[in-house]
Amino acid sequence: MKERKHYTKKVESNPTPTTSNKSKKLSQWHFIEWQKAYQFVKGVQIRIAKATLAKDWRRVKNLQRLLVHSFYAKAIAVRRVTENQGKRTFGVDKVLWNSPEQKYQAIFSLSAKGYKPLPLRRVFIPKANGKQRPLGIPTMKDRAMQALYLLGLQPVAETLADTGSYGFRLERSTADAITHIHQIFSHKGKKTNQPVEWVLDADIQGCFDHISHDWLLKHIPMNKRILRKWLQSGVVEFGQLKRTEEGTPQGGIISPTLANMALDGLESLLAEHFGKKTGSKIRRHKTYLVRYADDFIISGISKELLEEKVIPLVKGFLAERGLTLSESKTKVVHIEEGFDFLGWNVRRFKGKVLIRPNKKNVQTFYRKVKETISKMKMAKQSDLIRVLNPMLRGWAIYHKHQVASKAFGRMDALVWRALWKWCKRRHHNKGIKWIKEKYFCTTATRSWVFGTVYTDKKGDLHPIDLVYCSGVKIERHIKIKSEYNPFLPEWELESELLRQRRLYNQEKHRRIWSWLFKEQQGKCAYCHQPITKQTGWHDHHIIYKMNGGSDSLKNRCLVHPTCHTQIHALNLTISKGAV
């Protein structure tokens, strides 16, 4: 077997488009070398993150300018806005970039010279409480410009972010945030005189709509002229143009990062006031912060500390940014009373912290399922199953890391009841036995399974069954390390190990690893010694994902854990020597 080696090629930042006989038939959009594009952009982003750590803001500014003027960064920005879920959502100009020719020409239209964003198109989406959330939809060009400048801003945001912040950040999720909360309140194996048992459940009133423009223009390290134009572009609502004097619009690509950067710094402020210092390090805290976007909780050792000291400090922090706490939704509770966060209820029962799907989340989801079943009264059974399965599977996967077995069983019972009512309505003159034989079947693990057989376009028969929430296995979530930074090379090994542990139970990835094992004849790709159960193995990306490497089989190999550590240590030493 040939040894796989890590190699890099010199990448030009501004290639000139060329024409050929083939390109006359196909757009030059199809000839862009995306691997080189991602490698170049990732390389500049890593340099921006390192400059941010060194507080070298002049170098950060120069690297950001290099990035936003490069052909590859512009191409990636256009690709992002034309391949995401909003690719068919137009702005006030009603222009979409659908064809390859339009996408390629759009690359050369992304320039700061003479750039003037158009107003936002106001749309409203329903919220869980029955109210409506306003969104501001930029035009395709404005979205692409925001995606372009976000490439240079995101390494700075990730490097300066609070370690307890998890919303709208790379490789972080709600599961990481709730696992962090569990670690704070779980006293198992801890020896502490003052346990953290009180919680400030806070809510910011209209966070995105009220962030101060002056604060953003003063503290966000990016092109101020471009940022000012975005913030003051205005919005078209019910045919009228309105000025935007505060806030950053929900719907803009760069808005979540701006909101995160506006709220970053609260964790260090709390540590400064309520952290017990020993020498130059802070070892123990009286308060802990966990934040997901604009939703956050602050835990404390006493109710008086949170009410008399923490709340005034938080209000002052938010006031500088033009924000306020919602008096009606902000409260201080004991952990044994419990609180809701991100669709879960966190509460301590008899000394044990349990996290379950909260009642509001369960009721909202069941209402959505029931409405879907009601709307499809005359649909085929197979079509109804195709619509319900993604909904049920997605909800169960969201909650599968917590104490959700009872909630899953209850949801299955409620869905079964709704489906039985759907069946009886269609055949009101038939008996129970006839309806059961027509719409339900028995499998090896369950009886009364809502399933049928459908015919595909080729005429072949295929069975299709309803997904049951209780069939989703409950498994512990592996939390990402709070200090993880996707733009620093020293975290690439941790990123690969975390990705492997999270994907281990998925059959698709187990087949991939089995294929790699056979291709390598059961030997490590680095030291060529056998891989066994005793030695273990790691899934290594030859060209790091941080440097734009893909998940393709050509870019992956199996190595020993020790060899994996050695590879990353050598590459890190080489990269530091090159810098």
Side-chain angles (χ1 to χ4, degrees), residues 274-287:
F274 308 111
K276 183 177 180 181
K277 297 183 179 181
T278 303
S280 60
K281 295 183 178 180
I282 301 176
R283 293 192 174 182
R284 184 167 59 83
H285 298 264
K286 297 179 180 178
T287 62

Side-chain angles (χ1 to χ4, degrees), residues 363-427:
Q363 292 173 356
T364 302
F365 177 71
Y366 174 63
R367 191 183 304 117
K368 181 180 178 182
V369 172
K370 195 173 181 180
E371 289 175 356
T372 302
I373 296 174
S374 180
K375 290 178 181 178
M376 301 184 68
K377 292 177 180 178
M378 304 305 295
K380 293 182 180 179
Q381 184 183 7
S382 57
D383 293 338
L384 178 62
I385 293 175
R386 286 194 189 95
V387 174
L388 291 180
N389 276 356
M391 297 170 57
L392 296 169
R393 188 184 294 110
W395 185 80
I397 290 175
Y398 182 81
H399 292 291
K400 72 174 184 178
H401 304 297
Q402 310 306 328
V403 185
S405 296
K406 289 185 179 180
F408 287 174
R410 176 62 176 166
M411 183 60 64
D412 286 343
L414 292 173
V415 173
W416 185 92
R417 188 181 303 171
L419 290 173
W420 181 251
K421 186 177 179 181
W422 180 84
C423 296
K424 290 181 67 177
R425 181 190 176 279
R426 293 164 69 94
H427 307 282

Side-chain angles (χ1 to χ4, degrees), residues 216-462:
L216 291 174
L217 292 170
K218 183 178 180 181
H219 294 89
I220 300 300
M222 64 169 290
N223 189 314
K224 309 295 183 183
R225 183 174 61 86
I226 298 294
L227 179 59
R228 181 181 288 106
K229 288 183 177 181
W230 287 337
L231 296 176
Q232 300 177 357
S233 61
V235 58
V236 175
E237 184 175 347
F238 302 115
Q240 295 183 347
L241 177 62
K242 297 182 179 180
R243 297 179 60 184
T244 49
E245 298 179 352
E246 61 180 1
T248 175
Q250 295 188 60
I253 289 179
I254 204 171
S255 295
T257 302
L258 295 179
N260 266 340
M261 297 187 74
L263 297 176
D264 284 332
L266 180 57
E267 187 177 61
S268 58
L269 184 65
L270 293 171
E272 180 183 349
H273 284 78
F274 308 111
K276 183 177 180 181
K277 297 183 179 181
T278 303
S280 60
K281 295 183 178 180
I282 301 176
R283 293 192 174 182
R284 184 167 59 83
H285 298 264
K286 297 179 180 178
T287 62
Y288 293 93
L289 168 73
V290 178
R291 179 170 63 83
Y292 191 90
D294 57 339
D295 296 330
F296 67 93
I297 63 104
I298 300 176
S299 59
I301 59 175
S302 68
K303 184 177 182 180
E304 293 74 17
L305 174 69
L306 295 176
E307 289 181 341
E308 299 174 5
K309 295 183 179 180
V310 173
I311 290 181
L313 189 68
V314 172
K315 286 183 177 180
F317 174 86
L318 296 177
E320 295 179 6
R321 293 150 175 79
L323 302 173
T324 57
L325 286 177
S326 174
E327 298 293 339
S328 60
K329 297 181 180 180
T330 301
K331 56 184 179 180
V332 177
V333 297
H334 195 272
I335 185 59
E336 293 187 358
E337 180 183 348
F339 63 95
D340 292 339
F341 189 69
L342 300 177
W344 289 290
N345 178 262
V346 184
R347 188 177 178 185
R348 182 182 294 161
F349 292 88
K350 298 180 181 180
K352 189 174 183 179
V353 178
L354 298 180
I355 302 175
R356 303 169 175 173
N358 63 27
K359 292 182 180 180
K360 182 179 178 181
N361 181 274
V362 174
Q363 292 173 356
T364 302
F365 177 71
Y366 174 63
R367 191 183 304 117
K368 181 180 178 182
V369 172
K370 195 173 181 180
E371 289 175 356
T372 302
I373 296 174
S374 180
K375 290 178 181 178
M376 301 184 68
K377 292 177 180 178
M378 304 305 295
K380 293 182 180 179
Q381 184 183 7
S382 57
D383 293 338
L384 178 62
I385 293 175
R386 286 194 189 95
V387 174
L388 291 180
N389 276 356
M391 297 170 57
L392 296 169
R393 188 184 294 110
W395 185 80
I397 290 175
Y398 182 81
H399 292 291
K400 72 174 184 178
H401 304 297
Q402 310 306 328
V403 185
S405 296
K406 289 185 179 180
F408 287 174
R410 176 62 176 166
M411 183 60 64
D412 286 343
L414 292 173
V415 173
W416 185 92
R417 188 181 303 171
L419 290 173
W420 181 251
K421 186 177 179 181
W422 180 84
C423 296
K424 290 181 67 177
R425 181 190 176 279
R426 293 164 69 94
H427 307 282
H428 56 86
N429 58 343
K430 297 292 184 179
I432 294 176
K433 186 177 180 180
W434 187 93
I435 295 175
K436 176 182 181 297
E437 292 178 353
K438 179 173 179 61
Y439 291 102
F440 294 87
C441 58
T442 301
T443 64
T445 58
R446 182 188 293 269
S447 59
W448 285 79
V449 175
F450 189 74
T452 185
V453 177
Y454 74 95
T455 306
D456 62 11
K457 295 181 179 179
K458 296 181 180 179
D460 298 330
L461 299 178
H462 300 278

Side-chain angles (χ1 to χ4, degrees), residues 396 404-405 407-412 446 467-474:
S405 296
F408 287 174
R410 176 62 176 166
M411 183 60 64
D412 286 343
R446 182 188 293 269
V467 169
Y468 287 88
C469 297
S470 55
V472 177
K473 183 180 178 181
I474 303 294

